[in-house]
Amino acid sequence: MQPAPPGNRAEVRTKGRTISRQVLADHVYEELLASLMDGRLEPGAVVSIDGTARELDVSPTPVREALARLEHTGMVRRVALKGYRVAPVFTREDFAELMEARLAIEPVNARLACARVTSEHLAELDRAVADLKTAPRGPSFAEYRDYLEADERFHRLIAEQTGNQFMVAAYAALGGQVQRFRLFGGVGITDAEYAIAEHQSVLDAFATGDPEMAAAAMADHVKKVRGRAIADAPAG
Amino acid sequence: MQPAPPGNRAEVRTKGRTISRQVLADHVYEELLASLMDGRLEPGAVVSIDGTARELDVSPTPVREALARLEHTGMVRRVALKGYRVAPVFTREDFAELMEARLAIEPVNARLACARVTSEHLAELDRAVADLKTAPRGPSFAEYRDYLEADERFHRLIAEQTGNQFMVAAYAALGGQVQRFRLFGGVGITDAEYAIAEHQSVLDAFATGDPEMAAAAMADHVKKVRGRAIADAPAG
DNA sequence: CATGATCAAATCCTATAGGACCGGCCAAAG
DNA sequence: CTTTGGCCGGTCCTATAGGATTTGATCATG
């Protein structure tokens, strides 16, 4: 996984071999992110700095740094002198807004990416769709985690294949993977068959190399996701 | 100013009066942001944690927290165990990518905002355009700072008036105000007359209440900004 | 019963100290 | 003269300590 590049490892070159080191704050960041995504930290819950430090057996300093980074992703909110809390649950309005934003960004990404697609890109997209098809879709978190990961990976690959750092940033600002987990956590996947077919359509459009067709397929997919999820949204 | 909501103040309610408090990390954040925008910190320069702490007469802890937040904005980059550096200068390709992204997002913002515009919104936009017209445009930083601030405020207002938190986040991910400063720092404003007229056109479209016209005016503006800036771009 | 004061524990926030690592400088050896 | 090795200052990173603040409970009072 690797949702939002949390930190950066230091490539230490020593005696020809290069080892990769990582500071504690990065580890704390990843730990907190995992807790947020698999539901161990529920929306609205307080995330105590000292408590997290004790739990992870580190000092509060790296925890502060990790939380400061997390805040900018929207996963946690901070109030000065009061601490951090997990962001509240998604409402139906939040979901509608997210889809509106995705509809503005993702078809553009598809058009740009398709215009400069390579066989390597196609192979990566194909792998994501294949993973989508083979991933289990049971009710427990562990069972749909891989599905959501493949779903997000497909869309993120397209954003990255635009070669435009700002389109990647804009896509990442929508929360990418994380929002998926928060939306569907506890509900499970109900529309996998449809979603897989739509992803396949996008992939087919990429294979033809027609940017407009790719954009149309992506727009179609996002609209249908919106329609299905509003029909049986978890939160009103 | 208030570019990217850095931290959050604690609203302390005491005896009917509510005072707003703020922790040191927020102050450091704002101080660093100001240094970045007015050129005191040049692209590529190292931002030492301990050094900044001494300079601002605080301990390194709040500086670490402020820098962790700044990193997520793309203004500074971090390498584990080596510290922070100001992000490198904008190349012509970077600028083209930024405009491509703005072209994908800002016309949509204009359409959404126009569809639900109020007289208060119009007044705010009108004030931004008025400030744009009256702001000095001399060669030194202090003289075009207000101009850039009004420019960015105009666009940010439209993003906020969409009422869509994710469109705001996507717009903010593009760097908003900050990129303007980094692009034009040291160059000055050369296209103010044209830009002001284009902003006025967008405002006029908002006044008519036609979302499609607003989107078209905004798209026209962004395209023309791209054209002019590529013609006399500071960095090749 | 409702309301406000008081106090203790938890928590946030900041400063300080020290370990680990890097880079420059200089002296000594080859 | 070149190179090697050690020293030293700077920096990052983490832990710890203590002050400031919030929170929640307990208790007194109208």
Side-chain angles (χ1 to χ4, degrees), chain A residues 8 10 21 23 26 64-65 71-73 78 80-81 90 94 97-98 100-101 112 163-167, chain B residues 8 10 21 23 26 64-65 69 72-73 78 80-81 90 94 97-98 100-101 112 163-167:
Chain A
N8 0 35
R21 299 182 45 189
V23 298
D26 296 333
R64 300 189 73 83
E65 197 172 324
E71 185 191 9
H72 214 289
T73 71
R78 163 176 172 270
L81 302 179
F90 247 50
D94 291 332
E97 290 181 13
L98 176 59
E100 202 167 47
L112 296 175
N164 185 322
Q165 57 181 313
F166 297 102
M167 294 307 293
Chain B
N8 359 35
R21 300 183 44 190
V23 297
D26 296 332
R64 298 188 74 82
E65 199 172 323
R69 282 188 234 159
H72 220 292
T73 71
R78 164 177 171 269
L81 302 177
F90 246 49
D94 291 331
E97 290 182 14
L98 175 59
E100 200 166 48
L112 296 175
N164 185 321
Q165 58 181 311
F166 297 102
M167 294 307 293

Side-chain angles (χ1 to χ4, degrees), chain B residues 114-178:
Chain B
C114 186
R116 59 201 300 279
V117 72
T118 69
S119 56
E120 285 82 9
H121 291 161
L122 276 178
E124 284 187 292
L125 291 177
D126 193 73
R127 201 173 318 135
V129 173
D131 292 346
L132 213 50
K133 290 175 179 170
T134 61
R137 306 197 287 274
S140 81
F141 172 75
E143 286 168 317
Y144 58 80
R145 174 177 193 135
D146 290 343
Y147 177 87
L148 294 178
E149 189 277 330
D151 180 12
E152 199 275 336
R153 175 153 44 93
F154 182 82
H155 290 272
R156 178 161 42 82
L157 280 171
I158 291 176
E160 290 168 355
Q161 287 164 8
T162 64
N164 185 321
Q165 58 181 311
F166 297 102
M167 294 307 293
V168 175
Y171 169 77
L174 303 188
Q177 172 171 12
V178 169

Side-chain angles (χ1 to χ4, degrees), chain A residues 180-201:
Chain A
R180 283 177 176 72
F181 279 77
R182 295 192 46 214
L183 270 171
F184 296 101
V187 178
I189 312 299
T190 61
D191 64 343
E193 296 306 326
Y194 299 105
I196 288 173
E198 290 156 20
H199 281 92
Q200 184 66 55
S201 295

Side-chain angles (χ1 to χ4, degrees), chain A residues 50-73:
Chain A
D50 291 347
T52 306
R54 283 191 299 270
E55 191 168 344
L56 299 180
D57 201 45
V58 298
S59 80
T61 311
V63 177
R64 300 189 73 83
E65 197 172 324
L67 281 170
R69 282 188 234 160
L70 266 179
E71 185 191 9
H72 214 289
T73 71

